[in-house]
Amino acid sequence: MQRFNRSLDILAALLFAAALTLVNIQIVCRFILSISVPWTEEVSRLVFIWLAFLGAALGAREGSLIVIDTLPEVVGPRWDAVMGPIVRLVSLAVIVFLFVGSIPLVNSVWPTTLSTVEWISNGWAYLAFTTSYGLMAIYAATPLVRDITRVIARMH
Amino acid sequence: PALSFAQDKKVTIRIASAFEQTTDMMQAAKRFADLVKERSQDNIEVKLFAGGQMGGEKDIVEALKLGELEMGVLGTYPIVSLTPKYSFFDAPFVFRDKEHVYKAWSGKLGDEVRDNFKKNHGIRAIGMMGRGYRHITSNTPINSVDDLKGMKIRMGQSKPFIDAFSATGAVVVPIALPELFTSLKLGVVSASDGPFDQIASFKLQEAQKYIALTGHLYATSLWLMNDRFYEGLSAKQKEVVNQAAKEALAYGDELAAASEKALGEKLQQAGMQFTKPDYAAFMAKAKPAADKLFSEQWSVTTADEIANIR
Amino acid sequence: MAGPYVLILLGLFIIAVPVAFALGGTAILITILERGFPFNAAFMVQKAVSGIDNFMLLSVPFFIYAGKVMNVGGITTRIYDFAKSLVGTLRGGLAQVNVVASVIFAGMTGTAVSEAAGLGTVVIKSMREEGYEEDFAVAVVAASSTIGPIIPPSVPLVIYALMANVSVGGILVAGLVPGLLMGAALMVWIAMIARRKNLPRGPEFSAKRVWTTFRHGFLPLLTPALLIGGIISGVFTPTEAAAVAALYATFLSVFIYRAVTWRGLIEIARSTVVDTGVIMLVVSMAMIYGYLVTRAGLTDAMVMWMANISTNPLIIGLIIIGFLLIVGCFLEATAAIIILTPVLLPIMQTSGLDPMHMGVIIVLTMMIGLLTPPFGMVLFVLNRISGVPLYKIIIAVAPFIIPLLVVTILLLFVPRLVLFLPELVM
Ligand code: NA
Ligand code: NA
C-alpha cells in the first residue's frame, strides 16, 4: 500500500510537470516560432482534469479536504468518537454513488475522441473521475472499517 | 377549432442555451415559448435558461441525451460531437452560401443526421434557424487569401476550422471565448473568425480594424429535443409544439437576416473597414484539407456530392 | 421549495462532512426526493467533469506552485529586507515593513494562506526580537495577508472569473489598484496605532541600504513585472503567464539561489496538486448543486426577491457585502466564492452592477472572512506558525478589519478604482 501511495505521489508531480511543459510549449510555438499547435490547449485541459482529480484523492488520503470543522473543534475529541463514523459513512455513500454512476458514462463516451488529437478518447476525462472516486472510496472506507472493528470488539 | 387539453397531463419544457437571452436565437425561443403556452391553454409550460445557466453546449447536449433537459437551442456543435462523420455542416469553405447549407440540411444528408440523432442519441432535431455568415476580423486588411499567411488567428476547438485555416497558411491559436477580446486587444492573436453577432457581442470593433467578408460558413442554430419526451406528448401537444416551432424558427430566420444587415452597418459605423477578398481562392487553398477530411472523416459523402446540391 | 436545498446542505456542513461531499450529498438526496431511487447519475458526473474542464483553471496550480517555491527558496527574506530598508524607519516600523513586504509578495503569490505562511514566519520572528507584542505582530501579518489574492496573481480571482464568465486577464489587472489601496489603508491604520502605543522606530533611512537590498531582491522582484508586463504586452495569456511565473520561480530557487533540491521540487509539485485537487473537488461538486438549484428555478426566485428589496445597485452591493461577511465567518473563502457566485451573478446583472467590479469586491470581502472566527483559515495558519493562542489572535486582528472594510465600501462606491486600469490597458 505504501508503495502504491508513493507511486501516486510521483504521478501527481509528473502531471504537474506535464501541464507546465505543455503550456510553455504553447507560448514558445505561438510567440517565438509562430507555428500552429492546436492540440496543446485540449491536451493540457485533459492533463489538468487528471491532476485535479488525482489531487483530490490524495487530499482525501491525507485528510486535507475542505471541512467546516467549527463544531468538532468546540466539542473536542468526544465529537469524533460519536459523529466521526457517521460523517465518514455519509462521505463514503456519496463517493460510492458517484463512482458507480460514472462507469456507464465512461463507456458511452469512450468511442468519441478529442477534436485535435484523434487517438485520445474523450472518455479519459471521465475516467479521471472514476479513478479518483475509486481511490477516495478506498481511503474513506479504511477508517470506517476500523470504526466497525472497534464497535464489534467492544460488543464482545 | 379550439383544441381541448383537458385530458392531457401538464408538461414543462425546459429550454437551455449557451446563448444570451438577447440573441435572435433566444428571442425566437421566447416566441416559441409564448406560442406554445398560449395555444396549449397553459397545458404546456416553457421555461427558458439562457446565457449558459445550464452549462455550455457540451453540457446541454449531454443533458438532452439523458433526458435531464427537454429542449436546447444550440449552434452546430451537436453535429460535430454526435455525428462526427457529418461535421462538414460545421466546416468552413465547404458551402457556397446560406441556401446551400439549408438545402443540404433539408435533403438526404440532413435526413441522415436526424436519423442518427434519434436512433443513437435519443435526440430529435426540431429544426434549424440562421445566425449569419462567418467572416474574419483582423488588424491588417485581408484583400486576398495570401494576406492570411503567418497571421495568428483565434479558433475554437474544431478540427475542420483548424485544418482549413492552417492550410491557408494562418497560425491557428486556440483561445477560450471569454479571453477573445483581451487576446485580440493585447495582441496575443491578431485575427479571429465569427458571425457578426459574435463580433458585435464581444465588442471586437474596439480591438480590430478590418473584417474580410469571406462568409466561409453560414452559421446556424439547431433546436433539439429529447425524443422520449417528445414521443410522450399527446397528439395535440405534438401538433402545438411542431406548429409553434415552425413559426418561431421562421421568425428567427427573419430576425437573423435583419440583424445581420443592422450589425454590419453598426460595425462599419464603429470604424471597422470591410474587404471582399476572392472567395474561390480561399476554397482552393483549403481544398487539400477538405479533401483529406472527406476521405478520412466525412466518408458518408464527397465534396462533389455536396457541391452538386443545388 | 428552497428548504431542502439549503437545510440539507447546512446540516451536512455543520456536522463537518467535507464541503465537496456535503454539496454532492445534498444534490443526490434532492434528486432522490424528486425522482426516486435509483436514478441515472451520469448527468452529475458529466457536470462535475465539465465544471473543471477549462484551460484558464490551469493557472491555479501554477500560482500555488510559484508561491510555494518562493517560500522555500529564501525569496521571502530578500523581499522582507528590501521592504525594511524602505519603511523600517517609520514609527512602528516593522509593522509597516510587513505591509509593504505583503504588497510586494502579493505580486508573486496567489493565495492569502501562502502569503501568511511565507511572510508570517519571517515577520513574526523579527518583530519578536525587536520587542513587539506578539499578538500585535500576528494581527499585522494576518491583516496584510489579505492583500495577496487581490494583487495579481490570484487564485480566488481566477476561480471567480470562471464562475462569473468574465475575462481572467481583465479581473487580474483590476485587482492591482484595490490591492495597493488596501496596503495604504493598513499603513495609515498602523501609523495611528503606532502613535497611540508609542511603538519603536527602526534605524534611519539609508538609500545605500535600499540599493543593496534591492539588488539582492532584484530577480524575485521581477516576477510581478514579468507577469503583468507579459499579459498586457500580449506576449502571453493570463494562464500562460502563470506557467511562466512557475517556471521562473523554479529557475530562481533551483539554479540561482540553490535553495531547493530536485527532490524538494517534487514534493512541492505534489503538494501543489493536492491543494489544487482539494479546491477543484469543491468546484466540481458545486457545479452539480448549482445546476439543480438553477433547474428548480431557485436562482430566478432569489433574483426577484432581491429586486423587491431594492433596485439601487449601491444598496444591493452593500447587501451582498454584508451577506458575504456573515458567510465568511463560517465558510471557507474559495468554497464560498464557488458556491455563491452563480447565485449572486444574476442579482448583480439585474441591478446593473458590473461583474468584474463586483468580483474584486466579493473576493476582498471573502478575504476579510479569512480573519473572522469561528472559521478563518489565516487565523488557523498563524496559530500554527506562531503558537499564539487562537482567541488572542482573534481579538488582536479584529480592529484591522475596519480599514479593510473601509476600502471595500470605497471600491463599491467608486467603481472607477477597480475598472479604470483594465479599461486603460486592455
Ligand atoms: Na497575488
Ligand atoms: Na471567517
Side-chain angles (χ1 to χ4, degrees):
Chain A
M1 191 69 187
Q2 212 169 8
R3 221 149 118 204
F4 175 67
N5 280 338
R6 184 69 198 142
S7 39
L8 288 184
D9 289 341
I10 301 288
L11 181 62
L14 284 177
L15 283 168
F16 178 81
L20 191 58
T21 312
L22 279 168
V23 177
N24 279 292
I25 286 179
Q26 182 170 309
I27 307 173
V28 170
C29 287
R30 184 191 62 241
F31 188 71
I32 301 173
L33 305 176
S34 262
I35 50 174
S36 301
V37 276
W39 52 272
T40 49
E41 203 247 26
E42 213 177 10
V43 175
S44 48
R45 275 192 282 131
L46 183 59
V47 169
F48 177 77
I49 290 173
W50 272 90
L51 179 157
F53 279 121
L54 178 62
L58 299 187
R61 184 184 78 197
E62 57 193 50
S64 52
L65 296 185
I66 300 172
V67 180
I68 300 166
D69 54 1
T70 315
L71 200 57
E73 290 280 328
V74 174
V75 178
R78 280 209 329 269
W79 173 274
D80 198 62
V82 182
M83 288 303 289
I86 296 175
V87 166
R88 286 192 276 273
L89 199 63
V90 171
S91 300
L92 185 66
V94 174
I95 293 168
V96 170
F97 185 86
L98 292 174
F99 171 76
V100 173
S102 72
I103 296 169
L105 192 62
V106 175
N107 277 325
S108 80
V109 176
W110 201 261
T112 67
T113 69
L114 299 193
S115 46
T116 55
V117 190
E118 279 143 45
W119 47 270
I120 302 181
S121 160
N122 278 324
W124 280 99
Y126 298 108
L127 192 62
F129 185 98
T130 312
T131 310
S132 173
Y133 277 67
L135 287 171
M136 286 196 290
I138 297 171
Y139 296 135
T142 316
L144 210 56
V145 171
R146 203 186 51 218
D147 292 336
I148 294 167
T149 41
R150 204 172 47 204
V151 171
I152 293 172
R154 206 176 299 159
M155 285 197 300
H156 280 286
Chain B
L3 295 165
S4 164
F5 291 86
Q7 294 97 21
D8 292 337
K9 204 174 91 208
K10 271 185 126 94
V11 291
T12 302
I13 301 178
R14 274 167 287 232
I15 306 181
S17 178
F19 298 108
E20 298 293 334
Q21 187 56 51
T22 49
T23 57
D24 296 334
M25 290 157 278
M26 284 313 287
Q27 287 306 308
K30 174 88 178 36
R31 169 69 62 97
F32 170 79
D34 293 342
L35 290 175
V36 166
K37 241 176 132 155
E38 187 199 312
R39 291 181 188 165
S40 72
Q41 295 139 19
D42 287 330
N43 173 253
I44 305 175
E45 202 193 343
V46 184
K47 286 187 181 161
L48 302 176
F49 297 92
Q53 283 183 65
M54 289 289 196
E57 300 249 309
K58 194 173 169 182
D59 301 78
I60 296 171
V61 169
E62 286 302 319
L64 284 171
K65 272 163 71 173
L66 297 165
E68 270 298 303
L69 284 170
E70 289 76 32
M71 189 172 156
V73 168
L74 300 114
T76 21
Y77 168 81
I79 300 182
V80 181
S81 71
L82 301 179
T83 53
K85 280 186 178 356
Y86 297 83
S87 66
F88 49 82
F89 273 112
D90 191 42
F93 308 117
V94 168
F95 295 101
R96 289 183 302 272
D97 52 19
K98 180 179 170 181
E99 279 64 41
H100 196 187
V101 175
Y102 273 70
K103 284 250 169 67
W105 178 249
S106 56
K108 168 179 160 273
L109 292 168
D111 282 341
E112 287 170 23
V113 173
R114 282 182 285 272
D115 277 355
N116 215 312
F117 274 13
K118 198 193 260 180
K119 282 203 192 100
N120 301 330
H121 305 286
I123 290 179
R124 179 183 187 84
I126 305 179
M128 184 184 249
M129 68 166 265
R131 241 188 113 184
Y133 285 102
R134 294 186 81 100
H135 305 296
I136 305 173
T137 70
S138 59
N139 288 334
T140 50
I142 297 172
N143 289 309
S144 80
V145 65
D146 296 329
D147 292 332
L148 253 184
K149 207 172 163 55
M151 201 179 265
K152 285 174 193 151
I153 185 166
R154 180 265 166 193
M155 292 274 125
Q157 209 61 269
S158 155
K159 190 171 162 56
F161 273 79
I162 291 168
D163 288 0
F165 277 89
S166 298
T168 66
V171 178
V172 171
V173 179
I175 284 174
L177 273 177
E179 298 303 317
L180 175 60
F181 177 80
T182 42
S183 300
L184 285 169
K185 181 86 183 174
L186 300 173
V188 175
V189 287
S190 48
S192 80
D193 102 290
F196 283 156
D197 68 348
Q198 176 173 304
I199 298 172
S201 68
F202 282 89
K203 296 199 173 64
L204 299 194
Q205 66 271 27
E206 292 169 24
Q208 301 248 271
K209 275 187 87 157
Y210 296 95
I211 295 184
L213 298 171
T214 48
H216 47 268
L217 170 63
Y218 185 78
T220 48
S221 163
L222 284 175
W223 288 20
L224 305 179
M225 192 175 263
N226 175 276
D227 193 46
R228 211 172 38 191
F229 170 80
Y230 177 83
E231 291 304 340
L233 296 175
S234 74
K236 273 176 298 178
Q237 287 171 327
K238 280 182 190 162
E239 194 189 321
V240 166
V241 166
N242 291 342
Q243 186 57 30
K246 203 172 147 198
E247 288 174 34
L249 286 165
Y251 169 69
D253 269 326
E254 274 169 41
L255 282 181
S259 55
E260 186 162 39
K261 197 159 167 288
L263 285 172
E265 281 163 16
K266 181 186 152 189
L267 291 170
Q268 250 174 330
Q269 270 162 16
M272 292 198 99
Q273 292 177 35
F274 288 0
T275 62
K276 190 121 192 35
D278 176 27
Y279 186 55
F282 277 87
M283 280 188 113
K285 268 268 167 78
K287 193 167 186 310
D291 285 346
K292 192 152 178 277
L293 283 164
F294 272 111
S295 72
E296 288 174 3
Q297 196 182 342
W298 305 332
S299 49
V300 289
T301 181
T302 61
D304 288 339
E305 189 189 345
I306 291 184
N308 287 333
I309 300 174
R310 301 256 163 205
Chain C
M1 183 150 112
Y5 287 82
V6 179
L7 293 179
I8 298 175
L9 185 66
L10 285 184
L12 293 176
F13 277 173
I14 289 170
I15 64 167
V17 172
V19 171
F21 302 140
L23 286 160
T26 310
I28 293 170
L29 275 177
I30 283 171
T31 314
I32 291 174
L33 288 176
E34 278 175 8
R35 312 181 189 180
F37 184 84
F39 62 89
N40 185 351
F43 80 93
M44 294 191 162
V45 179
Q46 199 273 327
K47 281 276 156 200
V49 175
S50 81
I52 65 165
D53 185 7
N54 190 312
F55 184 69
M56 287 170 267
L57 282 179
L58 276 151
S59 60
V60 170
F62 297 152
F63 286 155
I64 293 177
Y65 170 87
K68 282 181 192 256
V69 174
M70 300 265 185
N71 273 337
V72 287
I75 291 166
T76 8
T77 323
R78 289 167 195 269
I79 290 163
Y80 181 72
D81 289 341
F82 174 58
K84 195 169 167 185
S85 76
L86 283 176
V87 293
T89 184
L90 298 175
R91 186 175 294 284
L94 285 192
Q96 304 287 25
V97 168
N98 181 2
V99 178
V100 172
S102 288
V103 168
I104 299 172
F105 197 50
M108 309 173 195
T109 175
T111 67
V113 167
S114 84
E115 177 117 3
L119 270 177
T121 328
V122 184
V123 173
I124 294 167
K125 182 165 165 281
S126 129
M127 282 178 87
R128 258 185 201 147
E129 282 165 6
E130 299 209 11
Y132 281 81
E133 286 167 33
E134 209 174 31
D135 44 353
F136 176 68
V138 173
V140 176
V141 173
S144 20
S145 75
T146 58
I147 301 171
I150 306 300
I151 290 180
S154 164
V155 171
L157 283 176
V158 171
I159 302 276
Y160 173 85
L162 170 81
M163 306 304 294
N165 213 15
V166 301
S167 155
V168 172
I171 203 161
L172 285 177
V173 173
L176 189 57
V177 172
L180 294 175
L181 276 178
M182 289 163 75
L186 286 174
M187 286 183 79
V188 170
W189 190 254
I190 289 169
M192 279 156 54
I193 296 176
R195 183 177 300 219
R196 195 161 45 83
K197 286 195 175 176
N198 204 14
L199 293 177
R201 284 173 181 279
E204 215 162 298
F205 180 81
S206 143
K208 194 166 151 251
R209 202 165 50 235
V210 172
W211 175 240
T212 332
T213 53
F214 173 72
R215 262 194 7 236
H216 277 146
F218 178 71
L219 290 175
L221 285 171
L222 271 184
T223 321
L226 185 78
L227 259 172
I228 300 178
I231 295 176
I232 65 178
S233 66
V235 176
F236 29 70
T237 63
T239 311
E240 292 168 348
V244 171
L247 209 62
Y248 184 65
T250 311
F251 170 74
L252 282 189
S253 44
V254 174
F255 295 108
I256 307 291
Y257 302 135
R258 297 177 186 281
V260 186
T261 61
W262 287 108
R263 187 175 284 272
L265 220 49
I266 291 176
E267 172 49 29
I268 293 175
R270 189 202 71 89
S271 72
T272 299
V273 171
V274 173
D275 290 358
T276 308
V278 164
I279 297 174
M280 292 309 144
L281 191 64
V282 179
V283 173
S284 60
M285 288 296 110
M287 291 290 182
I288 305 174
Y289 178 75
Y291 166 76
L292 291 174
V293 168
T294 309
R295 195 174 184 275
L298 295 178
T299 319
D300 286 346
M302 177 115 174
V303 172
M304 302 263 269
W305 182 71
M306 280 293 260
N308 275 334
I309 295 178
S310 172
T311 46
N312 181 333
L314 292 177
I315 292 178
I316 298 286
L318 285 173
I319 293 174
I320 290 176
I321 292 173
F323 171 65
L324 291 182
L325 283 174
I326 298 169
V327 168
C329 290
F330 304 100
L331 207 57
E332 200 271 338
T334 321
I337 292 167
I338 295 163
I339 299 166
L340 294 174
T341 302
V343 181
L344 295 176
L345 187 67
I347 295 176
M348 296 186 255
Q349 282 165 338
T350 37
S351 60
L353 288 162
D354 184 282
M356 190 182 285
H357 171 218
M358 281 307 286
V360 174
I361 291 173
I362 288 170
V363 171
L364 175 45
T365 313
M366 290 319 299
M367 290 308 113
I368 295 175
L370 297 175
L371 310 178
T372 55
F375 190 89
M377 277 308 288
V378 166
L379 300 175
F380 301 157
V381 169
L382 289 175
N383 164 254
R384 210 170 56 224
I385 295 177
S386 68
V388 177
L390 205 53
Y391 76 92
K392 273 192 154 180
I393 300 182
I394 292 169
I395 294 170
V397 167
F400 285 92
I401 291 174
I402 297 168
L404 294 175
L405 259 185
V406 169
V407 173
T408 313
I409 290 168
L410 179 71
L411 293 177
L412 175 67
F413 280 78
V414 193
R416 303 294 309 152
L417 290 171
V418 181
L419 298 175
F420 150 80
L421 201 58
E423 280 168 16
L424 181 75
V425 299
M426 296 191 150

